[in-house]
Amino acid sequence: MLKILMVEDDNSVAEMMKMFFSKEQWDVDIAKDGVEAVEMFKANPSSYDIVTLDLNLPKKDGMEVAKEIRAISLSIPIIMLTARDSETDQILGLGIGADEYVTKPFSPLALIARIKALYRRSHLEKDMHASNGIKYDVVTKHLKISKDRREVRFDDKVVEGLTPKEFDLLYTMAQKPKQVFSRDKLLELVWGYEFFGEERTVDAHIKKLRQKLEKAGPQVVQTVWGVGYKFDDDDSEV
């Protein structure tokens, strides 16, 4: 059973979604302003599986709430729900740590499908193997990736702070080194068929992924101009 923190100041939207979540047998806590949202999450971050976050909030803006939640937990999936539909807002929201961006008005059933897909992709295994028994699903010249542990090692140094989407992007590309993935293909493989997003969504996540990888070693996610991205650590650029 999922537990959701829904940050929403519109009572009608909150109550409607609470009803739909109850039909899925999901538990939901509702925060009606940004300050309350941060306090609720900070009090028990491990109790939540998903955060749905409105941007236009009283007391504290949704963007700031997303930053503070992400500072507490790097792994909690965040879905932004907002009436803002500008590309700039979407890229900014994704850049500060949101995993997906849903524009109001939205279909409750479509949101539930999005939550299920995101949870499946981001759910961490509870029973991790001992460190000396790690199974690495991808091993390349510089990288080792364990899907079960959601762990990435660059020249045996753990890459810190990857969000669920950043991990999934790297894992997807690293499974097929040097293969070029278009932005549309990455949207399909990482976000799923039910995600109707902009190609710039991929760009925002790739940018953050690169910044974290660069702290560990040479850049292994390369741009193929006019096409998309590829993983290549045989011929990586510093």
Side-chain angles (χ1 to χ4, degrees):
M1 183 175 70
L2 271 66
K3 183 165 184 179
I4 299 169
L5 174 59
M6 185 170 201
V7 188
E8 176 59 67
D9 66 323
D10 187 321
N11 287 331
S12 61
V13 173
E15 290 304 314
M16 175 187 67
M17 288 313 306
K18 186 175 182 179
M19 178 184 67
F20 276 92
F21 291 156
S22 295
K23 289 181 179 179
E24 296 291 328
Q25 297 186 324
W26 296 347
D27 191 12
V28 58
D29 289 340
I30 298 174
K32 296 187 177 180
D33 63 64
V35 171
E36 183 182 27
V38 174
E39 290 176 349
M40 289 173 67
F41 187 78
K42 187 181 295 185
N44 197 358
S46 62
S47 69
Y48 295 108
D49 298 300
I50 297 274
V51 175
T52 65
L53 174 63
D54 188 26
L55 287 189
N56 296 317
L57 294 169
K59 297 187 179 180
K60 183 174 291 189
D61 183 78
M63 292 288 188
E64 183 60 33
V65 173
K67 288 181 184 178
E68 294 189 31
I69 288 178
R70 186 55 76 216
I72 298 168
S73 171
L74 293 170
S75 60
I76 185 74
I78 300 174
I79 300 178
M80 286 188 168
L81 307 176
T82 180
R84 304 179 191 175
D85 59 359
S86 76
E87 186 176 88
T88 300
D89 283 329
Q90 293 185 34
I91 299 302
L92 179 59
L94 295 169
I96 63 175
D99 295 284
E100 295 195 8
Y101 193 107
V102 177
T103 303
K104 294 180 179 180
F106 56 84
S107 160
L109 294 179
L111 177 59
I112 286 172
R114 193 82 64 88
I115 290 172
K116 288 179 177 178
L118 181 58
Y119 180 73
R120 284 195 301 268
R121 292 192 297 269
S122 64
H123 181 55
L124 301 177
E125 293 291 337
K126 299 298 183 181
D127 299 320
M128 292 184 176
H129 301 294
S131 59
N132 60 356
I134 298 174
K135 173 192 173 187
Y136 289 106
D137 302 276
V138 175
V139 178
T140 67
K141 181 178 179 181
H142 292 286
L143 255 64
K144 294 179 180 178
I145 303 177
S146 171
K147 187 176 181 181
D148 285 348
R149 291 177 62 93
R150 309 285 289 190
E151 179 180 283
V152 176
R153 287 185 172 270
F154 198 124
D155 291 337
D156 213 33
K157 176 183 177 182
V158 175
V159 179
E160 302 285 355
L162 293 182
T163 66
K165 279 295 188 299
E166 291 162 2
F167 178 91
D168 290 342
L169 274 169
L170 181 59
Y171 179 74
T172 297
M173 291 187 290
Q175 289 182 93
K176 298 181 179 179
K178 300 186 180 181
Q179 176 175 318
V180 180
F181 292 85
S182 68
R183 292 170 176 83
D184 283 340
K185 191 63 177 177
L186 289 172
L187 280 172
E188 175 188 338
L189 293 173
V190 176
W191 277 260
Y193 70 91
E194 75 283 348
F195 182 79
F196 301 96
E198 297 289 338
E199 291 183 348
R200 291 287 298 279
T201 297
V202 175
D203 294 339
H205 281 81
I206 290 287
K207 180 180 178 182
K208 299 293 286 186
L209 172 61
R210 281 173 161 168
Q211 290 172 350
K212 293 169 184 179
L213 289 173
E214 283 172 352
K215 294 178 181 179
Q219 189 53 252
V220 295
V221 176
Q222 300 178 13
T223 301
V224 180
W225 297 107
V227 183
Y229 299 98
K230 68 176 181 178
F231 173 90
D232 187 353
D233 67 351
D234 283 333
D235 201 16
S236 53
E237 300 173 0
V238 178

